[in-house]
């Protein structure tokens, strides 16, 4: 006898919610949906969900009543207060053992708070990062669920079916509490870095070499068959080929150079500062987006701050293009190295017990930062579970040493051309700082002791010391 109850419930029918609902139904699980706006639910049922095993509900009590136990309810609403509002509506309607899943980009500290609150109510909570955008949600995202293992066991049969499939399903149990949302946050920080690095490569080729959109399309299309092959390189190649219907010009040239952000990059940077982990490439990426928003000031400054930097690169074009490609790859390695180092530190601090190799594996499909070289990252952590940094893995070390000269050439050329490449530069600085056995912060510590009696340590004997510097 089949149950008349639905296997899964979903609240929030924006595009991501709709696509996840269709993905779940397509993989054999009946689903009930609810949206605050009745019109949105009706339109979904009349169009994309027509004829499918999707049950519309028009109140949260109706949604809850339609689900088999333990109830599995996924929330796909805007992060922050809206999530708390939905949870507060659900709590009195659910029974012990039922599961709430937050699939949005919630701040990990909010997830920790909600986990404790719901545990006190004998309810289970999963904070699940979902990456892949609209297409991923529909056809297979990368999923990062964290929370109680018992709760994950109740959704495992569903999430392993709806996730992208690359060397297995692109989902794994991440860890307790806010582990899933923390990993998704860092994923987004890496995404910020990746996007900024690609933007800087574009700027070097367009401004430095004078490449037009058609040539940029050819260049990035060729990079698809190199170690740079990734989702972001793929879509960048496509972007350069798109022509604006109104003007007949490349659409990318008509887009205002002011980038938005929703907060996950900033959260990543804030957490890295709290944990004392250097992530300069991601910091540069967040700063670059903020700088881009100063459009009017930049336009005015461009008329005042003229410099002697040359406008165009006067060397070999093909050689410089290849150097930009190599510099992009080295910088990308540093960005992922910083992200993985941050995850390792968070794992210790918050007792997540993260498996970094497995995290790299589930990022190979479905998600925005999916890339061919994630397989190398996975293998690096499989070889050495205690690897302190990707830069000291033998494969990555050799790759960077092979391409290092090109990387330095590009950074030097950008400075001479007056082209800002904050993420390329930050990545090279990260590499050069990490490989140094002695940095100039001995002077910094001397200064701190001089003006504030903060003391210092010595290299030749243990203990803390203070000097009266003017005596």
């Amino acid at each position: 006898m089949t149950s008349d109850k639905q296997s899964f419930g979903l609240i929030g029918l924006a595009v991501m919610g709709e696509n996840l609902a269709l993905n779940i139904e397509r993989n054999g699980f009946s689903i009930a949906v609810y949206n605050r706006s009745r019109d949105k639910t009706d339109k979904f049922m009349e169009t994309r969900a027509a004829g499918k095993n999707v049950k519309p509900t028009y109140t949260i009590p109706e949604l809850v009543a339609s689900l088999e136990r333990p109830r599995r309810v996924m929330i796909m609403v805007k992060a922050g207060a809206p999530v708390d509002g939905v949870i507060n509506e659900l709590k009195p309607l659910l029974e012990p053992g039922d599961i709430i899943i937050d699939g949005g980009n919630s701040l990990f500290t909010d997830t920790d708070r909600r986990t404790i609150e719901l545990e006190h109510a004998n309810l289970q909570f999963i904070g699940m990062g979902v990456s892949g955008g609209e297409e991923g949600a529909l056809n297979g995202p990368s999923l990062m669920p964290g929370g109680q293992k018992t709760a994950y066991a109740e959704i495992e049969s569903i999430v392993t079916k709806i996730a992208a499939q690359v060397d297995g399903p692109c989902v794994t149990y991440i860890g307790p509490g806010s582990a899933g949302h923390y990993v998704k946050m860092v994923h987004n920080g890496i995404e910020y870095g990746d996007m900024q690095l690609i933007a800087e490569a574009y700027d070097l080729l367009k401004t430095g070499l004078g490449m037009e959109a058609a040539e940029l399309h050819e260049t990035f299309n060729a990079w698809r068959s190199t170690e740079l092959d990734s989702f972001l390189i793929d879509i960048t190649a496509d972007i350069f080929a798109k022509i604006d219907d109104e003007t007949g010009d490349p659409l990318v040239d008509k887009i205002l150079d002011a980038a938005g952000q929703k907060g996950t990059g900033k959260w990543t940077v804030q957490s890295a500062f709290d944990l004392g982990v250097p992530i300069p490439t991601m910091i540069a990426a967040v700063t670059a987006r903020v700088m881009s928003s100063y459009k009017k000031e930049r336009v005015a400054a461009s008329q005042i701050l003229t410099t002697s930097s040359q406008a165009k690169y006067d060397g070999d074009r093909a050689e410089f293009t290849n150097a930009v490609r190599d510099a992009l790859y080295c910088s990308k390695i540093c960005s992922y190295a910083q992200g993985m180092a941050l995850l390792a530190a968070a794992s210790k601090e918050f007792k997540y017990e993260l498996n970094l190799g497995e995290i790299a594996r589930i990022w190979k499909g479905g998600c925005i930062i999916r890339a061919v070289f994630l397989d190398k990252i996975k293998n690096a952590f499989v070889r050495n579970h205690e690897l302190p940094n990707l830069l000291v893995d033998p494969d990555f070390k050799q790759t960077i040493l092979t391409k290092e000269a090109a990387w330095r050439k590009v950074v030097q050329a950008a400075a001479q051309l007056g082209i800002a490449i904050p993420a390329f530069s930050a990545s090279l600085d990260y590499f050069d700082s990490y490989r140094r056995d002695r940095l100039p912060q001995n002077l910094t510590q001397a200064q701190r002791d001089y003006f504030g009696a903060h003391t210092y340590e010595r290299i030749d004997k243990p203990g803390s010391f203070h000097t009266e510097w003017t005596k």
Side-chain angles (χ1 to χ4, degrees), residues 124-421:
Q124 301 187 85
F125 186 59
I126 290 176
M128 183 164 72
V130 179
S131 179
E134 298 172 13
E135 181 187 346
L138 180 63
N139 298 315
S142 174
L143 300 172
M144 292 151 261
Q148 299 98 334
K149 263 193 172 179
T150 52
Y152 179 70
E154 293 290 349
I155 68 166
E156 187 173 14
S157 62
I158 298 176
V159 294
T160 52
K161 285 277 187 69
I162 69 170
Q165 306 291 319
V166 179
D167 293 343
C170 291
V171 59
T172 189
Y173 173 69
I174 299 294
S178 59
H181 275 150
Y182 193 95
V183 168
K184 177 56 162 59
M185 179 188 76
V186 175
H187 163 286
N188 284 22
I190 294 171
E191 180 184 309
Y192 271 59
D194 224 350
M195 293 174 71
Q196 177 62 24
L197 290 167
I198 292 170
E200 291 175 15
Y202 153 66
D203 199 10
L204 286 162
L205 299 177
K206 179 178 175 61
T207 306
L209 293 183
M211 280 193 186
E212 298 295 342
E215 190 177 2
L216 287 162
H217 167 71
E218 290 178 9
T219 300
F220 276 79
N221 204 38
W223 287 356
R224 284 170 155 165
S225 59
T226 71
E227 63 269 84
L228 284 174
D229 183 25
S230 66
F231 172 74
L232 286 170
I233 292 292
D234 287 350
I235 68 169
T236 302
D238 292 344
I239 286 167
F240 291 131
K242 185 67 175 177
I243 301 300
D244 178 30
D245 292 336
E246 294 182 21
T247 64
D249 296 327
L251 180 58
V252 68
D253 294 336
K254 299 299 179 185
I255 297 175
L256 184 70
D257 54 317
Q261 54 183 316
K262 290 188 174 180
T264 47
K266 179 182 73 174
W267 295 344
T268 306
V269 169
Q270 289 171 330
S271 181
F273 280 134
D274 289 340
L275 294 173
V277 178
I279 57 165
T281 307
M282 288 177 246
I283 293 171
V286 173
T287 303
R289 292 200 192 189
V290 175
M291 178 63 82
S292 76
S293 70
Y294 284 70
K295 176 64 176 178
K296 288 183 180 179
E297 286 188 39
R298 290 188 290 108
V299 170
S302 69
Q303 305 302 312
I304 301 168
L305 301 175
T306 55
T307 73
S308 60
S309 60
Q310 66 185 78
K312 292 286 185 285
Y313 182 77
D314 57 8
D316 184 278
R317 285 172 60 85
E319 182 183 283
F320 187 68
T321 300
N322 289 336
V324 170
R325 180 199 63 212
D326 288 348
L328 176 57
Y329 188 55
C330 289
S331 299
K332 184 184 180 84
I333 291 171
C334 285
S335 182
Y336 281 74
Q338 293 160 36
M340 289 300 184
L342 178 55
L343 288 178
S347 184
K348 291 178 182 176
E349 177 69 19
F350 305 130
K351 298 180 173 54
Y352 288 151
E353 297 185 1
L354 300 179
N355 182 331
L356 299 184
E358 185 69 352
I359 289 169
R361 183 193 69 78
I362 68 169
W363 286 348
K364 287 172 61 179
C367 74
I368 302 301
I369 64 170
R370 61 186 183 265
V372 168
F373 95 126
L374 277 163
D375 205 43
K376 292 185 177 181
I377 295 178
K378 181 198 76 173
N379 291 337
F381 286 106
V382 168
R383 281 193 295 271
N384 181 1
H385 294 295
E386 303 299 321
L387 185 70
N389 193 291
L390 280 178
L391 295 179
V392 296
D393 173 75
D395 281 359
F396 285 112
K397 178 200 76 171
Q398 190 56 48
T399 296
I400 285 187
L401 293 180
T402 301
K403 300 178 184 296
E404 178 189 0
W407 194 9
R408 296 187 187 282
K409 176 181 179 178
V410 167
V411 173
Q412 181 181 22
Q416 292 172 335
L417 293 168
I419 298 173
I421 51 167

